Amino acid sequence: MRKSTVIFLFLAVAIFISGCAEEESVKLVKLSPPDMLEQIKIGKIDAFIAWEPFPSKAAKSGQKILMSSGDIWKNHPCCVVAYKVGKADEKMLEALVWAHVKATRFINDEKNWDKVVSYASQFTGLDEETVKMALRNIKYVEYPDEKEFRHYYEFLKEAAILKKSVKELGYESEDEFFEKFLRRDIYERVVTKLEENPNYVPEKAGKIRLGYITADLHHLALYVALKEGYLDRVFEDVDLKQYPNGVAIMEAFKLGELDAAYLGGAPATLKRINDEIEISIIAGVNNEGSALVVKKEINSPKDLAGKTVAIPGFGTVQDFLMRKVLKEGGLKVS
Amino acid sequence: MKQKIYSALLFVFLWYLLYFLNVLPAFHVVVVTFLMLVVKAEPVLGKTLLQHAASSLLRVLAGAIVAFSISIPLGILMWFSRIYNLLHPAIEVLRPIPPLAWIPLSYILFASFPNPTVFAQIFIVAVGAFFPSFVTISDYVRGVPQEFIELAKVFGAKSFDLLTKIVLPYSLPGIITGVRVGLGVGWMSIIAAEMIATSGSGLGYFILVMYEVGGRMPEIIAGMAMIGLIGYSMNTLLFKLEERFPWRLKSGT
Amino acid sequence: MALEIRNVKKSFGNLKVLDGVSFEVEKGEFACIVGESGCGKTTLLKIVAGLVKADEGEVLYDGKELKTEDIAFVFQDDRLLPWRTALENVMFSLEMRMRELDKKRREEIARSFLELAGLKGFEDYYPHQLSGGMRQRVGICRALAVNPKVLLMDEPFASLDAQTRNRMQLELLKIWEKRRKTILFVTHSVDEAVFLADKVVILSPRPAKVLKVLEINLERPRDRTSPEFVGYRREIMNLLQGTSLSI
């Protein structure tokens, strides 16, 4: 009894001392982007980082965009299209990549600007002025640059967020891993066929279960592919499922709920390795397109010391970008 | 003592069995992870396990203080049949509602407060701790032997004397049992509440984030072990205190 | 005439328990009430104590109604408060009944009674640390401390073993000889009644009536084996014939 009391008391004292000893560092909290807008308004958080259109929406209601994600890391890959290895067949993948490429090219065609703005407004439920501002921050792409993409991997490894090495997953080297993880062949086949014949349409596939993130303007190509009829032309049935963030999509992959999905490259890499969820990336979606929003009195990343910053989830692209900002500003996460 | 050693050995043996079946990480890996997390901040959230424990404990204490400052006096007043008849039916209806079912309501109630999540969590702990402590205390109070009341009346006790000199001291071990049971439920409530609402710290939040980031089974189990250890310590300490009252009604651990 | 019980009647629903009980006890007299188990002895005592209201009849002391504050009660179970020490248990009755006394004075009185009952040195013991006999003596001290006009005792030694019981009877007489109180002592043991009492009130089985009031004219300490003692016992036994009394 005596001895155990001493141990309990010691434990209690240790817990409270460590609870009080907080150095100057930044507190990261997880919030859904709609909540971020609410909470920065009432001052519960001091800053947030999220995908468009949320930063533009915040800017419109009086908050300040401190840096766009292009300022943090020029041309960083963001969202990608991935599929669950073993779930989707080649026919399905070619059909999906075709629809995605067609939609992306539609978005990037200056002629379609008005239509794109109207689609973006429908997809996010925001007014056209806000989505125009947001669209300017996003670069819609067809395939990410592999070198840039591997940057995620290096950073996650360095920050000890990755728990496993590619060797533990059964790969000889990182190069071999990335060769399997970033599958360029389908994309190249589709593009070659489109060059030969701009009216090329792949063979019709059956049903696809396709995931994406709620109101994420990055995933506009999906909405365009749906509205312009690209998906209907190559699939008999499209089952669309919404998720709050990329981590949730990876969980859905694990549970076998999805054949393919639009999601951030960082959670895709992180969960591919940590949880051995077997997915491969078959197309890019966008580069850049997130931003760090702060309260008026914050003028540089250094001012974030001792503040609370919201991210959409741990292991997301935005978490990754935020940690990059903090690291470069000499700040710690707590 | 020997029994305890056997029990521990069996536990570790079963664990390694599950490890070889590829269900759990090795026991020693979890132990090392636990110890590392106690001294060193975990990189994703930047906090040690002790800091998370402190956040959870502070919330539980705040919620429990709110709960007990109502449940103890109210529980004792249940001695008066008039108050008992008034409150008992309402309590019996509210009691089966699990603390977590109060979360949405609490968010609406505290939406206008400066820190709704914290208030909501404290509220949920308070709800979780209130009912079991209140019911334990009021059961104890209702069970004051008629013999003691008769004795006090023979010597001329007034209503107030009965409450302060018989009901209250008789119920003291019951109050401690109530605090013990209430803290136990409060502790479970806070862990669950942290997993639902974003709290930024706390053991429930810690294990959830570890799950989200993936590949962290040892961290998750270490977090669970901390939850268990603290719950066990609180229960044991209060139980030892209860045992000092020779007239206490026997209650389970 | 000090204590008068006059034609006391009591029923619980259809169950008639007391059917006109009357007897008298002199000041400073030790009176025992004997009767079959369940005949209403305890109910009678509670009526005298004012804990239970009689349907009919009255209880007088010096011609006036006897009030609860005039009596003190020793229960069959010791009924000590387990969260109080022996001393604090004795002080309990003083706290309730003699509110005008300060704490120091109450403690002095309690100590003096514990000493009288041979419990010096056990003041700070909790009830669970005391033997059955000691606990019962604390209960007696608690009752005597408030200086009651009448001391009511409800089979106080019933739960003690035979040896302790005999010793307690002697102890009680010793205390009573020092502080002469009017005592009304309920027992179902004829032996105990003859050993203790100046006067034995013999009750009939339910509904209870007084069969006889018998004066015991024996010198104390009484010899249980003397022919006179046995004679008194036989007389009471005969009156209670056919009932399940212990000897």
Side-chain angles (χ1 to χ4, degrees):
Chain A
M1 161 69 197
R2 224 15 83 70
K3 206 162 78 188
S4 55
T5 311
V6 171
I7 293 169
F8 292 149
L9 285 178
F10 178 77
L11 191 69
V13 168
I15 284 170
F16 278 97
I17 287 174
S18 64
C20 299
E22 292 241 326
E23 47 187 308
E24 272 240 308
S25 47
V26 178
K27 187 176 171 192
L28 290 186
V29 297
K30 193 184 86 174
L31 281 180
S32 75
D35 287 346
M36 294 178 185
L37 291 177
E38 287 302 312
Q39 300 208 355
I40 199 164
K41 236 181 266 174
I42 58 170
K44 222 199 116 184
I45 54 173
D46 304 291
F48 73 77
I49 184 161
W51 55 75
E52 288 290 1
F54 294 98
S56 295
K57 204 176 165 191
K60 234 189 129 215
S61 62
Q63 312 300 337
K64 189 162 79 179
I65 292 184
L66 186 64
M67 348 171 61
S68 79
S69 62
D71 302 331
I72 300 170
W73 173 12
K74 184 106 188 98
N75 242 338
H76 73 88
C78 180
C79 289
V80 292
V81 182
Y83 77 98
K84 179 81 183 283
V85 175
K87 276 274 170 201
D89 58 25
E90 293 293 304
K91 199 165 86 178
M92 186 193 270
L93 298 179
E94 194 169 323
L96 178 60
V97 171
W98 177 83
H100 175 66
V101 169
K102 290 290 273 186
T104 306
R105 287 179 183 179
F106 181 92
I107 295 169
N108 288 333
D109 191 338
E110 285 294 322
K111 289 201 300 286
N112 298 327
W113 175 246
D114 289 342
K115 232 172 161 185
V116 168
V117 169
S118 131
Y119 282 148
S121 161
Q122 286 168 28
F123 183 50
T124 58
L126 296 175
D127 60 279
E128 298 203 346
E129 202 187 321
T130 310
V131 293
K132 271 183 196 165
M133 187 169 151
L135 282 169
R136 273 183 221 110
N137 294 328
I138 309 171
K139 293 177 180 169
Y140 291 96
V141 300
E142 295 172 13
Y143 209 89
D145 184 80
E146 190 185 323
K147 240 189 235 140
E148 295 286 1
F149 201 88
R150 282 180 74 157
H151 208 81
Y152 278 128
Y153 172 79
E154 298 297 335
F155 188 93
L156 293 171
K157 200 166 81 173
E158 225 171 275
I161 291 172
L162 287 187
K163 275 303 231 188
K164 288 182 177 148
S165 69
V166 294
K167 288 221 171 64
E168 282 174 76
L169 302 184
Y171 295 97
E172 285 291 310
S173 64
E174 288 169 355
D175 289 339
E176 194 200 332
F177 170 75
F178 275 102
E179 206 174 297
K180 294 268 163 57
F181 186 48
L182 296 174
R183 269 192 76 177
R184 225 183 153 88
D185 55 324
I186 303 165
Y187 168 67
E188 274 162 3
R189 198 157 67 230
V190 169
V191 169
T192 315
K193 282 180 184 166
L194 276 175
E195 267 164 23
E196 285 163 5
N197 171 17
N199 294 323
Y200 160 73
V201 178
E203 205 183 324
K204 203 159 181 167
K207 184 184 169 177
I208 187 167
R209 295 172 303 165
L210 197 53
Y212 70 100
I213 297 174
T214 311
D216 185 343
L217 196 51
H218 298 173
H219 299 181
L220 183 62
L222 175 69
Y223 191 71
V224 170
L226 196 69
K227 285 283 152 180
E228 287 292 314
Y230 300 132
L231 282 169
D232 285 345
R233 270 157 75 185
V234 290
F235 288 105
E236 271 162 21
D237 187 11
V238 181
D239 184 6
L240 286 178
K241 298 178 182 206
Q242 283 193 30
Y243 294 90
N245 57 49
V247 170
I249 287 181
M250 289 303 286
E251 291 299 322
F253 269 132
K254 190 162 80 184
L255 298 173
E257 284 176 16
L258 292 173
D259 300 313
Y262 284 62
L263 79 159
T269 311
L270 176 69
K271 298 285 272 187
R272 166 71 189 91
I273 294 173
N274 275 349
D275 286 347
E276 298 188 42
I277 300 167
E278 268 205 77
I279 55 156
S280 285
I281 290 164
I282 45 170
V285 173
N286 70 302
N287 286 349
E288 303 185 359
S290 295
L292 175 58
V293 176
V294 295
K295 285 206 285 202
K296 281 245 152 58
E297 62 268 23
I298 292 167
N299 294 313
S300 79
K302 286 219 181 330
D303 295 347
L304 290 172
K307 304 282 193 217
T308 302
V309 182
I311 54 173
F314 291 95
T316 57
V317 174
Q318 292 73 24
D319 176 25
F320 173 89
L321 292 167
M322 197 62 229
R323 282 170 200 266
K324 204 165 153 68
V325 171
L326 296 179
K327 198 177 162 199
E328 281 159 15
L331 292 167
K332 265 188 65 180
V333 175
S334 95
Chain B
M1 196 59 212
K2 218 172 179 184
Q3 286 295 315
K4 275 185 185 169
I5 291 171
Y6 286 143
S7 158
L9 283 176
L10 180 71
F11 177 75
V12 173
F13 170 76
L14 287 175
W15 190 310
Y16 275 106
L17 201 69
L18 289 170
Y19 163 63
F20 286 115
L21 291 171
N22 248 332
V23 178
L24 288 179
F27 181 69
H28 61 270
V29 171
V30 174
V31 171
V32 169
T33 306
F34 181 86
L35 295 174
M36 286 301 287
L37 285 172
V38 166
V39 290
K40 207 167 148 261
E42 177 282 322
V44 175
L45 289 171
K47 280 197 169 105
T48 65
L49 209 49
L50 289 180
Q51 286 170 313
H52 286 296
S55 314
S56 294
L57 270 174
L58 275 176
R59 290 185 195 123
V60 163
L61 289 184
I65 287 169
V66 173
F68 298 148
S69 58
I70 304 169
S71 72
I72 294 173
L74 207 59
I76 287 165
L77 286 177
M78 289 289 270
W79 185 69
F80 295 105
S81 289
R82 207 177 302 166
I83 293 176
Y84 175 83
N85 292 335
L86 191 71
L87 291 179
H88 185 70
I91 296 284
E92 284 307 301
V93 171
L94 291 173
R95 190 162 72 104
I97 302 172
L100 295 190
W102 291 85
I103 289 181
L105 180 69
S106 65
Y107 274 120
I108 299 170
L109 290 178
F110 298 111
S112 59
F113 282 58
N115 218 335
T117 339
V118 172
F119 278 99
Q121 286 180 340
I122 291 174
F123 175 75
I124 287 153
V125 171
V127 168
F130 174 79
F131 289 102
S133 63
F134 176 78
V135 170
T136 310
I137 293 166
S138 70
D139 278 356
Y140 221 97
V141 166
R142 299 289 302 170
V144 173
Q146 207 46 47
E147 288 79 12
F148 290 151
I149 303 297
E150 193 181 67
L151 161 80
K153 279 184 174 163
V154 162
F155 289 110
K158 306 197 169 48
S159 229
F160 184 72
D161 297 320
L162 293 178
L163 207 60
T164 55
K165 300 213 159 153
I166 303 287
V167 176
L168 191 63
Y170 176 80
S171 304
L172 211 58
I175 291 169
I176 292 166
T177 311
V179 165
R180 179 168 65 84
V181 177
L183 267 182
V185 176
W187 183 239
M188 290 185 196
S189 308
I190 190 60
I191 299 300
E194 283 169 354
M195 295 182 80
I196 289 173
T198 289
S199 33
S201 58
L203 291 169
Y205 183 69
F206 169 78
I207 60 176
L208 188 72
V209 169
M210 289 301 100
Y211 167 72
E212 282 186 357
V213 177
R216 284 168 164 73
M217 190 112 90
E219 280 86 347
I220 291 173
I221 298 173
M224 288 168 67
M226 193 61 148
I227 293 167
L229 207 63
I230 291 172
Y232 172 80
S233 309
M234 291 195 300
N235 192 56
T236 309
L237 273 182
L238 286 166
F239 195 68
K240 296 252 186 228
L241 192 61
E242 253 170 73
E243 279 182 328
R244 304 174 86 133
F245 298 94
W247 68 93
R248 82 193 201 281
L249 303 175
K250 295 281 179 286
S251 65
T253 31
Chain C
M1 225 16 73
L3 179 65
E4 286 174 78
I5 284 111
R6 275 197 199 157
N7 193 32
V8 168
K9 292 186 179 173
K10 178 77 193 172
S11 301
F12 293 108
N14 291 328
L15 187 70
K16 212 169 183 186
V17 181
L18 300 174
D19 189 18
V21 175
S22 304
F23 62 89
E24 291 161 359
V25 182
E26 302 289 338
K27 256 182 206 165
E29 197 174 35
F30 197 133
C32 275
I33 303 173
V34 294
E36 187 193 347
S37 290
C39 75
K41 301 182 297 265
T42 300
T43 305
L44 178 63
L45 211 59
K46 284 187 176 172
I47 288 171
V48 176
L51 290 172
V52 173
K53 252 188 130 53
D55 296 339
E56 236 178 86
E58 51 195 348
V59 179
L60 302 174
Y61 187 85
D62 277 349
K64 280 177 283 181
E65 193 192 340
L66 184 71
K67 297 211 178 69
T68 304
E69 57 258 41
D70 298 325
I71 62 98
F73 211 105
V74 178
F75 299 86
Q76 185 172 349
D77 52 320
D78 54 72
R79 215 166 284 196
L80 298 185
L81 301 174
W83 53 88
R84 284 175 172 244
T85 60
L87 183 72
E88 287 165 344
N89 262 293
V90 178
M91 286 167 71
F92 177 78
S93 60
L94 293 164
E95 285 165 31
M96 296 291 112
R97 186 92 43 99
M98 302 190 165
R99 286 166 200 261
E100 68 284 356
L101 296 182
D102 61 21
K103 199 178 169 203
K104 212 179 129 210
R105 183 73 192 113
R106 285 202 287 257
E107 200 179 310
E108 277 171 26
I109 296 171
R111 275 185 198 284
S112 71
F113 276 96
L114 284 173
E115 195 175 343
L116 183 71
L119 286 170
K120 197 173 165 63
F122 292 96
E123 288 88 346
D124 295 329
Y125 282 51
Y126 281 91
H128 71 277
Q129 297 166 314
L130 299 172
S131 70
M134 285 169 149
R135 283 204 294 270
Q136 204 48 273
R137 273 186 275 170
V138 176
I140 294 167
C141 290
R142 176 174 63 190
L144 287 172
V146 293
N147 194 24
K149 289 179 177 151
V150 181
L151 179 62
L152 306 173
M153 304 182 85
D154 184 12
E155 303 194 41
F157 308 141
S159 56
L160 303 177
D161 62 82
Q163 259 183 325
T164 315
R165 190 177 178 145
N166 288 347
R167 210 175 55 237
M168 286 300 292
Q169 289 165 354
L170 286 171
E171 289 276 351
L172 176 63
L173 288 175
K174 225 164 74 193
I175 295 168
W176 175 69
E177 268 150 28
K178 282 183 195 149
R179 314 254 163 151
R180 281 233 171 224
K181 291 279 158 209
T182 310
I183 293 182
L184 207 50
F185 187 110
V186 162
T187 178
H188 65 264
S189 161
V190 175
D191 176 86
E192 186 167 68
V194 176
F195 187 77
L196 291 173
D198 296 321
K199 179 190 269 176
V200 179
V201 180
I202 304 145
L203 293 183
S204 70
R206 201 173 56 220
K209 273 182 155 168
V210 177
L211 290 176
K212 184 173 184 171
V213 178
L214 186 69
E215 304 275 343
I216 312 286
N217 292 312
L218 289 176
E219 281 298 308
R220 290 188 178 91
R222 293 170 179 167
D223 177 0
R224 290 174 204 268
T225 53
S226 71
E228 295 88 347
F229 193 99
V230 177
Y232 279 119
R233 239 170 65 175
R234 187 173 305 123
E235 189 180 350
I236 297 170
M237 297 289 295
N238 287 340
L239 282 164
L240 293 167
Q241 210 169 40
T243 64
S244 58
L245 284 172
S246 65
I247 301 172

